[in-house]
Amino acid sequence: MSPSSSAASVRRLAGVLYAYAFLDDLVLLYPVYALLFADTGLTVWQISSLFALWSVTGVVLEIPSGVWADAVSRRLLLWTGPLLTATGFALWVLVPSYGAFALGFVLWGAKGALCSGALEALVYEELDRLGAADGYARVLGRARAAGLVAVMASMALAGPVLAYGGYPAVGLASVLACLLTAATATRFPEHRTADARGGSGEGWARPLRAGLAEARADRSVRAALLLVPAVTAVWGALDEYTPLLVRDTGVAEDAVSHWLLLVWAGATAGGLLAGAGQRLGRTGFALLLAGSALALAAGAWARTPAGIVLVALAFCGFQLASVLADARLQDRIGTTGRATLTSVAGVGTDLATVAVFGLYATVGSATTHATAFAVFAVPYLVTALAVAAARGERPAEAPATAKRR
């Protein structure tokens, strides 16, 4: 393949990925589904049980779906998943009830499991085929940024659409976004052979066996697997509490969403910086985590709207670190079990996130949201020290000359 043809193929792949990421998060139900549950008459405990069901579904299905993604077409999973969420969102607004909400969250959790691992593996291997694997972090970072822009657009649009047509209109817009996401997924290129998927005789066994064997045998793969949840889980859980942190700074209720947009703008910037972030060495990556942790603690402790600027800066750093950690994992995997190992990292992230939810409930109930946010800066300082003290390769680097299948 000529350089110009390869570059054009990379641009087409990236374009499909950005559109997929944007549409996947352009769900107007995101900012208001808790209101829908409350308006339907659910108690706080019932709502919390729905969130727990959502998390448990993802944890249970994450690794099996990753193995499936290595054994069959990853593109198939990427367009099937959004159809599941479309079904769930339709149930929420057509027959609002605890049972419908629960089934919707099961479908949503299944979608997340199907697409998690499959997307990263497909994109990395297609870039690798085109000789552009060194651009994975940059492409993934921009895709994450596109998703966050969609989240901010959902925040801006949900209120007017809800005022115009109520929850049915918000639900219809969300279902439409899911259908468009599924349609976009069919445009992903995929050039994996039957042998790469495990062969006709071995089915699921080969990618599962290969992925787990590589994790056992290669210390750098194990380190990369641990780094992903260490970097991703805490700030991913804290995101759910940022509205409460903002409100406690004294801003008016109707201004909370504006400050949340600032926080998400910071996370979006972190995704866009991923290409430049690849140049960070081990010390630079550790400093990124430590600086972000200090910004989070200082911003929360300030307990003023101005402190939210520091929280936004912290989320920028955490998003950047998350993309770089994922890129490092993808670059170190060298077997047919790429999606399997990515899903193993996803399970670690899910379990750590659930643990953070539980710890946050304990700390936040006993103190304040500002104190809780400051406390959860500590794990990042510990991770930064561990990264700085580690021997071997630079954790933020994702060279194209690393392992190949």
Side-chain angles (χ1 to χ4, degrees):
M1 183 180 294
S2 67
S4 60
S5 177
S6 177
S9 296
V10 170
R11 287 194 297 270
R12 284 194 294 270
L13 171 62
V16 174
L17 175 62
Y18 301 155
Y20 182 88
F22 180 84
L23 291 169
D24 192 40
D25 279 322
L26 190 64
V27 178
L28 271 60
L29 274 169
Y30 285 171
V32 300
Y33 63 69
L35 300 179
L36 171 61
F37 301 159
D39 290 345
T40 304
L42 269 62
T43 66
V44 174
W45 279 105
Q46 286 176 314
I47 294 174
S48 298
S49 70
L50 292 175
F51 293 153
L53 179 63
W54 186 17
S55 298
V56 169
T57 301
V59 170
V60 170
L61 297 180
E62 183 77 36
I63 293 179
S65 67
V67 176
W68 192 18
D70 282 327
V72 301
S73 167
R74 290 163 181 165
R75 181 171 56 199
L76 170 65
L77 272 60
L78 293 176
W79 67 257
T80 300
L83 297 182
L84 298 180
T85 47
T87 303
F89 292 156
L91 287 173
W92 283 6
V93 295
L94 292 176
V95 284
S97 62
Y98 181 82
F101 298 148
L103 179 56
F105 269 122
V106 169
L107 292 172
W108 197 353
K111 177 265 179 185
L114 286 176
C115 298
S116 172
L119 179 65
E120 293 85 352
L122 184 150
V123 171
Y124 186 90
E125 291 189 358
E126 288 299 317
L127 288 173
D128 192 16
R129 184 184 68 86
L130 297 168
D134 57 343
Y136 174 79
R138 181 182 66 257
V139 171
L140 182 66
R142 290 176 178 176
R144 297 271 180 91
L148 291 174
V149 169
V151 170
M152 292 187 285
S154 298
M155 291 178 179
L157 293 172
V161 174
L162 182 64
Y164 174 77
Y167 292 116
V170 174
L172 176 61
S174 300
V175 169
L176 179 60
C178 293
L179 296 178
L180 290 174
T181 304
T184 302
T186 64
R187 307 302 301 168
F188 275 117
E190 187 173 24
H191 294 83
R192 297 170 67 228
T193 63
D195 182 66
R197 295 176 185 176
S200 57
E202 294 179 280
W204 292 25
R206 179 180 174 183
L208 177 61
R209 200 163 51 238
L212 296 180
E214 183 172 13
R216 288 194 300 268
D218 194 326
R219 186 176 63 181
S220 71
V221 173
R222 291 198 303 273
L225 283 171
L226 292 173
L227 186 63
V228 171
V231 170
T232 306
V234 175
W235 82 275
L238 291 180
D239 160 56
E240 300 295 335
Y241 302 98
T242 49
L244 302 175
L245 177 70
V246 171
R247 187 177 62 181
D248 282 0
T249 64
V251 304
E253 290 282 347
D254 57 2
V256 169
S257 61
H258 301 155
W259 288 99
L260 290 179
L261 286 175
L262 174 64
V263 174
W264 282 110
T268 302
L272 294 174
L273 290 170
Q278 285 183 282
R279 294 192 290 269
L280 290 175
R282 183 175 66 247
T283 300
F285 189 82
L287 289 174
L288 173 66
L289 286 178
S292 300
L294 293 175
L296 178 68
W301 270 114
R303 303 183 186 184
T304 65
I308 302 303
V309 176
L310 288 176
V311 175
L313 180 62
F315 273 43
C316 173
F318 294 144
Q319 176 72 288
L320 172 57
S322 297
V323 174
L324 295 178
D326 179 78
R328 178 184 188 244
L329 173 62
Q330 296 303 325
D331 196 71
R332 276 144 184 77
I333 298 172
T335 71
T336 57
R338 180 175 303 281
T340 300
L341 287 178
T342 304
S343 291
V344 170
V347 167
T349 300
D350 290 341
L351 291 174
T353 300
V354 171
V356 173
F357 283 145
L359 291 171
Y360 191 99
T362 301
V363 177
S365 298
T367 57
T368 64
H369 293 292
T371 301
F373 268 69
V375 166
F376 280 103
V378 174
Y380 283 111
L381 293 175
V382 174
T383 301
L385 290 173
V387 168
R391 296 180 179 179
E393 301 176 82
R394 294 183 295 174
E397 188 178 30
T401 55
K403 294 181 181 177
R404 291 288 178 257
R405 297 173 304 285

